[in-house]
Amino acid sequence: MFTHLRTGLALACAGVLVSVPALVTTSASAVQAEQQAGQSLIITVAKGSLKLKGTSGLRAGRVKLTVKGQPAPVTIMSLAKGYTLRELSTDYKAANKGDMKALKRAVANTTWYGGLSSGSTGTVVLPRAGTYIAAVMANKVMGPTTFEVGAVKKSGTPSVDGTITARKGMKWGGADHLPTKGTLRFKNSDTQPHFLSMVQVEEGTTIDDVMDGLQSEEEPAWVLSGGAHTDVLSPGRQMTMDYDVPAGQYVLLCFFPDPKMKGMPHSMMGMVKMIHVM
Ligand SMILES: [Cu+2]
């Protein structure tokens, strides 16, 4: 997993997310209850395409998101006026090959509202009426699907079991402890896009171990199988993710590339924090 991340300059750690088993299980009744409570968007990942359910009559505001189907991370985004999906695809491809100008352009013209991997549920907030895009950001922009939402529909804030914040200056803040199962709020209070990758590590693993591991070609022995992963959030955005993971120690990581550092992933620049799940 770490090897993947190190070598790929992908905007999101798509390759990694694909290999992460779906750990989140939500009971059918819980899904039903939440769907009755608010707006719901269900995205099914198929080969090379996404199927969206719930877009008809969808309005801005908080939307319950369910991602199903083939393993992949689905992101929800919008593009600046005058910047097309075609331009994003071209820039994204170039960025993956190390073109930092293209990366800068893509970042400057895209707003990310978060997203989830297949098998997960949560909520995203679409701030205003307009056009949004669901896509899988892998080695290229895959299955991009455009949808429209109407004027904001007021909705309550979901109750959460903990909050993790990307703080100013590429630092993790928020909860040091989380329950093994619940709803997590992920907030980006920084000036750069971030995603949250919570990876289980052996008890006692240090930040130094992680920093060494990020530099290494091999997968460190202290990486365990538990984990939960959001997609990218632009500055000032927030989302929630339902999760269910084994108790233990976890490292918080973000591999979004920094164009000012030749695409170096944020965690290699020190955006690393240990928390405990119990
Ligand atoms: Cu980041």
Side-chain angles (χ1 to χ4, degrees):
M1 155 183 273
F2 273 53
T3 315
H4 256 110
L5 294 171
R6 221 189 118 273
T7 48
L9 279 184
L11 285 176
C13 63
V16 176
L17 290 175
V18 166
S19 68
V20 170
L23 289 161
V24 179
T25 49
T26 309
S27 73
S29 60
V31 169
Q32 257 174 10
E34 286 193 57
Q35 280 172 1
Q36 281 158 7
Q39 308 195 85
S40 173
L41 176 61
I42 300 169
I43 301 180
T44 307
V45 183
K47 210 177 179 184
S49 71
L50 301 180
K51 284 193 183 71
L52 273 57
K53 210 173 131 189
T55 52
S56 134
L58 191 66
R59 290 170 58 184
R62 191 174 291 271
V63 174
K64 158 108 177 138
L65 179 66
T66 303
V67 180
K68 305 193 292 192
Q70 298 197 346
V74 171
T75 192
I76 308 291
M77 60 191 170
S78 66
L79 301 180
K81 230 183 181 163
Y83 189 70
T84 63
L85 195 47
R86 183 182 289 257
E87 286 170 305
L88 173 68
S89 296
T90 308
D91 282 340
Y92 187 80
K93 233 185 261 173
N96 272 323
K97 286 183 182 139
D99 181 342
M100 291 301 115
K101 265 193 180 162
L103 177 56
K104 269 187 201 161
R105 200 162 42 231
V107 170
N109 288 290
T110 308
T111 304
W112 285 278
Y113 305 97
L116 297 163
S117 323
S118 310
S120 312
T121 58
T123 66
V124 292
V125 180
L126 310 177
R128 63 187 71 83
T131 305
Y132 292 82
I133 300 161
V136 172
M137 306 289 266
N139 51 348
K140 57 179 185 170
V141 181
M142 280 163 55
T145 306
T146 297
F147 62 99
E148 303 287 331
V149 308
V152 173
K153 183 179 180 184
K154 283 233 167 79
S155 63
T157 312
S159 66
V160 296
D161 302 283
T163 298
I164 289 182
T165 308
R167 283 168 42 209
K168 274 224 170 72
M170 277 188 214
K171 289 189 173 69
W172 291 113
D176 294 310
H177 295 93
L178 289 172
T180 54
K181 185 177 173 178
T183 300
L184 177 68
R185 178 189 293 119
F186 170 43
K187 235 173 111 174
N188 185 353
S189 305
D190 197 8
T191 52
Q192 304 217 37
H194 296 293
F195 61 87
L196 169 65
S197 202
M198 242 174 85
V199 176
Q200 192 185 9
V201 296
E202 249 170 49
E203 201 68 48
T205 302
T206 65
I207 298 283
D208 283 347
D209 293 335
V210 173
M211 296 313 290
D212 287 347
L214 291 170
Q215 306 284 343
S216 153
E217 295 293 332
E218 273 147 53
E219 166 122 350
W222 42 260
V223 174
L224 303 180
S225 63
H229 313 267
T230 77
D231 217 281
V232 180
L233 267 189
S234 284
R237 308 290 163 190
Q238 58 168 294
M239 62 170 287
T240 67
M241 167 173 64
D242 305 320
Y243 71 95
D244 184 357
V245 296
Q249 186 178 326
Y250 285 74
V251 61
L252 307 183
L253 300 168
C254 169
F255 293 94
F256 198 91
D258 189 332
K260 281 178 273 171
M261 296 290 287
K262 294 187 174 145
M264 185 185 273
H266 292 164
S267 277
M268 287 182 83
M269 298 167 66
M271 195 174 182
V272 175
K273 186 189 168 181
M274 295 295 179
I275 66 162
H276 279 87
V277 170
M278 50 202 204

